[in-house]
């Protein structure tokens, strides 16, 4: 089970996948050939042609099925080898070699029990492996809950074994591991797994020694993530808040894991509305080609042009003419369009800078020529159908669901067209392996249809992953859609300003302005304001609506950003109180190990060791509230530890008489993992608060 064998199997798997894709394209070409030629040759030899094509399709289908079966076997073997390599690495780290990356305990246990179950019951193909954290410390740290499912599968084969007997067989086949202290079989065959403290001591001590939390190993991918996506000439509002914050945090997490991430801002910078904006610009600033127009309030400018478009027929005609010229790339019209876009970009960038968001702009205009090419390709391959003047495209089950409108009856393109062109560009030009779209849940059907059509046309293949990260709307405290008192949509800039004001007020209530310097106060104000807005969004399950409340998000108790930011500041202050620097702590691990003897030390240590498991869970479901819950769990466990375990002891005069360096190292490991979690969530902790 060497790494070279793993690479060999991976190459064979990839080769099989490529051959499958080639065969699929051949089938697609044959289908297209059938559609084009049956009508022409129907009178001559349609029967003969149909039989020939069907025979060829049957042959190809048989080949595809054989390759798919072979590919499935190879993938299964590769998965086993991957876990074997990870197990080897884990064993090496725990036995004292220089392994400084925290491993996923769930993945390691999964590997151990997969081997044991396969050895105990080789007659069960692809057996169920169910590893879960234990709910009660009395029943271990993790549990293997595969026994009941195995019992059912064995009964189907005529073998009757009790849960205890099955569990005994599995435990007997479990190999020794530096992770596992002992295994116990409970009622109904549950296997309780107790972790070794030595493993925790070694892993966390190495973490402090390195000085940073290295990301766990995983297979690297090219990820294209599409989020935020405001419209030019319109202000960003609270509706853009969730997409921007959730998308940024997902991008941060995937970047941390080592994936090549492209952050796309698919802005609305093309379409009919630009005709009225350009026509209004020509009237209001006739010398715009020579002097940059002083548009200070683009939102008002948009409202003025919309009013004229609705009320003035002559203006409406000119606006449509401007659209035609824009689509024809008339130089003067393009200049006006660029001026309007630049004003919006500056406003967007101001908000992104405040929230520390990085994005690469790829507006709808970027895909104009690509849409023309896409439509021609889809027509040639027979994927487009005429429908009342439109050209539509069905997904993998033609006639089922809702089709895409690729070309409107007037010959224009739609959002469907640009989204299909975007997928094609991101797969073929950007070489994306995984496409992620962060939009409100109301667009889920649209993205399901887009994905289905992309698969039907073989733009999206089995080698690619496409994920729609949907989310619920933001509600006001009245449980209705979040709006201003006048009923208008809340502007994002005003929301951030209000957050700053509330944060400063909170700091002054605690008289922090009397302790902190003006610079420290401003840093704390921004940390709390922007942190609490982000965290209030991320700590809720994204699939649900949530109530936006400054009062709740600024509370310094419970699962809030304020509580967690204060908690980290307090943890960091412990070493300062002991007059021990981070560099001294890093050097101390050469002679001193982290202490995990006390039950509260060990409880905190085990939570810290779950960090990779949390990251891999989020990679699968893209739900960031798990990371927020994990941060809160760390903070609560640390409080329990600190209440029971003295790190720094002082006499009645307040003089330090003893420093427990093992515990101080545990506080450092806790702070490091919390800081890394905050970085993934987009929170900026400060040294003093």
């Amino acid at each position: 089970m060497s790494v070279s064998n793993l690479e060999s199997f991976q190459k064979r798997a990839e080769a099989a996948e490529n051959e499958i894709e080639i065969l699929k394209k051949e089938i697609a070409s044959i289908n297209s050939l059938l559609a084009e030629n049956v009508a022409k040759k129907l009178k001559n030899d349609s029967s003969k042609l149909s039989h020939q094509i069907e025979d060829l399709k049957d042959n190809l289908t048989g080949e595809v099925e054989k390759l798919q079966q072979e590919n499935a076997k190879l993938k299964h073997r590769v998965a086993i080898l991957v876990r074997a390599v990870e197990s080897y690495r884990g064993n090496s780290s725990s036995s004292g070699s220089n392994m400084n990356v925290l491993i996923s305990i769930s993945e390691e246990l999964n590997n151990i029990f997969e081997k044991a179950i396969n050895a105990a019951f080789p007659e069960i193909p692809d057996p169920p492996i169910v590893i879960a954290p234990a709910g009660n410390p009395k029943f271990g740290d993790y549990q293997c809950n595969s026994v009941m499912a195995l019992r059912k599968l064995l009964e189907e084969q005529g073998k009757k074994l009790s849960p205890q007997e099955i569990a005994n067989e599995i435990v007997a086949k479990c190999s020794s591991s530096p992770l596992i202290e002992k295994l116990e079989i409970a009622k109904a065959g549950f296997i309780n797994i107790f972790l070794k403290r030595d493993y925790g001591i070694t892993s966390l001590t190495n973490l402090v020694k390195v000085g940073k939390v290295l990301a766990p190993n995983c297979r690297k991918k090219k990820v294209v993530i599409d989020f935020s996506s405001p419209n030019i000439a319109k202000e960003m509002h609270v509706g853009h808040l969730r997409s921007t914050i959730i998308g940024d945090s997902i991008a941060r997490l995937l970047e941390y894991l080592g994936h090549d991430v492209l952050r796309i801002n698919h802005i609305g910078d093309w379409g009919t509305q630009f005709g009225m904006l350009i026509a209004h610009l020509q009237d209001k600033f006739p010398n715009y080609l020579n002097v940059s127009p002083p548009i200070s309030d683009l939102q008002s400018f948009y409202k003025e042009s919309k009013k004229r478009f609705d009320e003035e027929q002559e203006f409406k005609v000119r606006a449509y003419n401007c659209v035609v010229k824009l689509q024809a790339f008339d130089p003067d019209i393009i200049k006006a369009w660029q001026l309007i876009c630049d004003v919006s970009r500056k406003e967007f960038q101001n908000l992104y800078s405040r929230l520390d968001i990085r994005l690469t702009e790829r507006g709808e205009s970027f895909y104009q020529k690509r849409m023309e090419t896409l439509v021609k390709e889809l027509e040639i391959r027979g994927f487009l159908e005429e429908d009342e003047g439109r050209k539509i495209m069905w997904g993998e089950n033609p006639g089922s669901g809702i089709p895409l409108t690729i070309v409107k009856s007037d010959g224009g393109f739609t959002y469907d067209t640009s989204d299909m062109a975007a997928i094609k560009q991101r797969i073929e030009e950007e070489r994306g392996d995984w496409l992620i779209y962060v939009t409100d849940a109301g667009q889920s059907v649209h993205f399901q249809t887009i994905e289905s059509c992309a698969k039907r046309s073989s733009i999206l293949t089995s080698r690619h992953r496409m994920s729609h990260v949907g989310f619920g709307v933001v509600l006001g405290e009245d449980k209705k859609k979040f709006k201003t008192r006048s009923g208008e949509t809340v502007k994002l800039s005003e929301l951030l300003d209000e957050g700053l004001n509330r944060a400063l007020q909170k700091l002054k209530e605690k008289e922090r302005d009397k302790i902190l310097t003006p610079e420290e106060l401003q840093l704390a104000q921004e940390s709390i304001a922007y942190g609490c807005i982000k965290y209030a969004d991320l700590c809720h399950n994204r699939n649900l609506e949530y109530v936006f409340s400054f009062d709740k998000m600024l509370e310094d108790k419970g699962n809030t950003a304020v509580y967690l930011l204060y908690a980290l500041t307090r943890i960091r202050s412990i070493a300062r109180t002991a007059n021990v620097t981070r560099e001294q702590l890093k050097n101390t691990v050469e002679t001193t190990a982290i202490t995990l003897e006390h039950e509260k030390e060990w409880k905190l240590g085990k939570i810290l060791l779950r960090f990779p498991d949390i990251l891999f869970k989020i990679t699968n479901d893209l739900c960031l509230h798990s990371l927020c819950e994990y941060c809160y769990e760390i903070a609560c466990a640390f409080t329990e530890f600190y209440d029971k375990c003295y790190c720094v002891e002082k006499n009645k005069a307040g003089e330090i008489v003893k420093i427990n360096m093992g515990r101080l190292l545990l506080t450092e490991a806790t702070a490091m993992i919390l800081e890394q979690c905050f970085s993934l969530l987009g929170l900026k902790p400060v040294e003093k608060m």
Side-chain angles (χ1 to χ4, degrees), residues 6-20 67 70-76 78 219 463:
L6 171 60
E7 291 174 349
S8 174
F9 278 112
Q10 285 177 327
K11 286 179 180 177
R12 287 175 61 191
E14 289 173 1
E17 286 178 343
N18 290 333
E19 193 165 351
I20 289 169
L67 283 168
E70 175 66 16
N71 191 39
K73 291 176 182 177
L74 286 169
K75 279 186 173 180
H76 181 66
V78 165
R219 187 175 179 181
R463 293 185 294 107

Side-chain angles (χ1 to χ4, degrees), residues 9 42 115 151 315 323 448 485-486 500 506 515 521 547 630-631 641 651 671 686:
F9 278 112
L42 189 59
K115 287 180 181 178
R151 185 187 187 192
F315 179 82
V323 174
Q448 287 170 13
R485 290 180 180 177
S486 61
L500 285 172
K506 193 79 175 178
I515 300 171
L521 183 65
V547 175
Y630 177 67
C631 289
F641 150 73
N651 58 23
V686 290

Side-chain angles (χ1 to χ4, degrees), residues 616-630:
F616 289 146
K617 177 185 181 299
I618 298 169
T619 303
N620 289 327
D621 62 24
L622 299 176
C623 289
L624 291 151
H625 66 278
S626 301
L627 186 58
C628 298
E629 291 168 357
Y630 177 67

Side-chain angles (χ1 to χ4, degrees), residues 494-590:
E494 293 177 356
L495 189 75
L496 298 183
D497 290 342
E498 177 69 10
L500 285 172
N501 292 334
R502 297 270 193 133
L504 183 60
Q505 181 182 343
K506 193 79 175 178
L507 288 164
K508 287 183 175 179
E509 284 175 7
K510 293 181 173 293
E511 298 187 337
R512 308 309 293 172
D513 55 318
K514 297 178 180 178
I515 300 171
L516 303 175
T517 66
E519 292 78 14
E520 290 171 341
L521 183 65
Q522 183 180 345
L523 288 174
Q525 177 191 10
E526 291 176 354
S527 173
I528 291 172
Y530 302 147
C532 77
I533 290 172
K534 288 183 180 184
Y535 194 84
D537 191 309
L538 296 171
C539 73
H540 292 89
N541 186 325
R542 62 172 171 79
N543 295 300
L544 306 176
E545 300 170 333
Y546 85 95
V547 175
F548 190 97
S549 168
F550 273 120
D551 290 337
K552 289 183 178 178
M553 67 178 65
L554 284 168
E555 288 180 357
D556 54 11
K557 295 179 181 178
N559 189 10
T560 67
V562 178
Y563 171 74
L564 292 172
L565 288 166
Y566 274 127
L568 178 59
T569 303
R570 286 195 296 270
I571 293 170
R572 281 279 177 227
S573 70
I574 296 169
R576 288 201 301 270
T577 300
N579 297 316
V580 178
T581 66
R582 295 186 70 176
E583 191 61 32
Q584 287 173 320
L585 284 171
K586 189 175 177 181
N587 294 332
T588 299
V589 295
E590 298 292 345

Side-chain angles (χ1 to χ4, degrees), residues 17-281:
E17 286 178 343
N18 290 333
E19 193 165 351
I20 289 169
E21 294 307 323
I22 291 169
L23 289 170
K24 283 183 177 178
K25 287 182 179 179
E26 287 183 25
I27 291 173
S29 298
I30 290 166
N31 284 330
S32 178
L33 179 65
L34 177 62
E36 292 174 6
N37 290 300
V38 163
K40 296 177 183 178
K41 299 187 177 183
L42 189 59
K43 292 181 181 179
N44 300 323
D45 56 351
S46 61
S47 178
K48 182 180 177 182
L49 180 63
S50 295
H51 281 103
Q52 287 176 340
I53 290 176
E54 287 303 319
D55 288 343
L56 186 54
K57 284 174 67 178
D58 289 341
N59 291 336
L60 286 171
T61 301
E63 287 187 53
V64 168
E65 287 175 354
K66 287 178 184 176
L67 283 168
Q68 285 176 329
Q69 290 173 2
E70 175 66 16
N71 191 39
K73 291 176 182 177
L74 286 169
K75 279 186 173 180
H76 181 66
R77 184 62 180 157
V78 165
I80 292 173
L81 286 169
V82 166
R83 283 195 280 265
V85 170
E86 289 176 351
S87 175
Y88 172 77
R89 288 171 175 164
N91 290 344
S92 298
S93 74
S94 302
S95 60
S97 67
N98 187 25
M99 181 61 184
N100 301 314
V101 176
L102 292 178
I103 66 167
S104 168
I105 294 174
S106 291
E107 285 291 317
E108 181 68 12
L109 293 175
N110 190 90
N111 182 45
I112 291 168
F113 279 88
E114 181 180 44
K115 287 180 181 178
I117 292 171
N118 280 324
F121 305 103
E123 66 273 28
I124 302 292
D126 193 22
I129 314 296
V130 184
I131 304 294
N136 188 326
K138 290 192 300 183
F139 304 122
D141 303 309
Y142 288 81
Q143 287 182 326
C144 175
N145 301 332
S146 301
V147 169
M148 298 308 291
L150 281 168
R151 185 187 187 192
K152 185 177 179 182
L153 292 171
L154 288 166
E155 284 179 350
E156 290 173 359
Q157 294 186 359
K159 299 176 183 178
K160 291 189 176 182
L161 294 174
S162 70
Q164 286 277 343
E165 289 173 322
I166 296 171
N168 283 330
E169 289 289 330
I170 295 171
V171 170
K173 296 295 184 181
C174 279
S175 58
S176 63
S177 166
L179 274 177
I180 300 173
E181 179 68 36
K182 64 178 179 177
L183 300 174
E184 288 183 353
I185 299 172
K187 291 180 180 179
F190 297 112
I191 303 172
N192 298 330
I193 306 164
F194 294 80
L195 297 180
K196 274 187 180 177
R197 297 195 189 209
D198 285 348
Y199 166 75
I201 291 169
T202 301
S203 297
L204 295 176
T205 301
N206 282 345
L207 185 149
V208 177
K209 185 177 181 180
V210 173
K212 61 181 178 179
V213 186
L214 299 175
N217 297 315
C218 68
R219 187 175 179 181
K220 307 301 186 282
K221 296 180 179 179
K222 175 63 181 286
V223 184
V224 181
I225 177 167
D226 181 327
F227 66 101
S228 194
S229 306
N231 289 315
I232 291 292
K234 294 183 180 179
E235 284 192 281
M236 289 180 69
H237 53 76
V238 71
H240 296 105
L241 184 67
R242 299 209 77 181
S243 175
T244 304
I245 290 173
I246 293 170
D248 176 63
S249 192
I250 291 173
R252 286 170 179 266
L253 187 146
L254 295 176
E255 287 163 347
Y256 173 65
L257 289 174
H259 298 292
D260 181 6
V261 180
L262 176 59
R263 299 155 163 254
I264 292 290
N265 198 9
H266 188 85
I267 64 170
D269 67 345
W270 202 257
T272 307
Q273 73 272 22
F274 282 93
M276 66 185 193
L277 287 165
I278 292 168
H280 189 53
L281 180 75

Side-chain angles (χ1 to χ4, degrees), residues 233 269-286 288 295 301-302 305 308 315 318-327 330-341:
D269 67 345
W270 202 257
T272 307
Q273 73 272 22
F274 282 93
M276 66 185 193
L277 287 165
I278 292 168
H280 189 53
L281 180 75
Q282 290 172 330
D283 290 345
K284 198 163 185 177
F285 304 102
Y288 74 89
I295 305 174
F301 188 85
Y302 179 88
S305 65
R308 292 185 67 190
F315 179 82
R318 278 201 299 119
Y320 278 128
N321 287 335
C322 287
V323 174
V324 173
K325 291 180 180 179
L326 178 64
Q327 292 173 343
D330 178 278
D332 290 354
I333 298 298
I334 288 292
K335 173 72 173 176
W337 169 74
Q338 289 173 335
L339 288 169
I340 293 166
C341 289

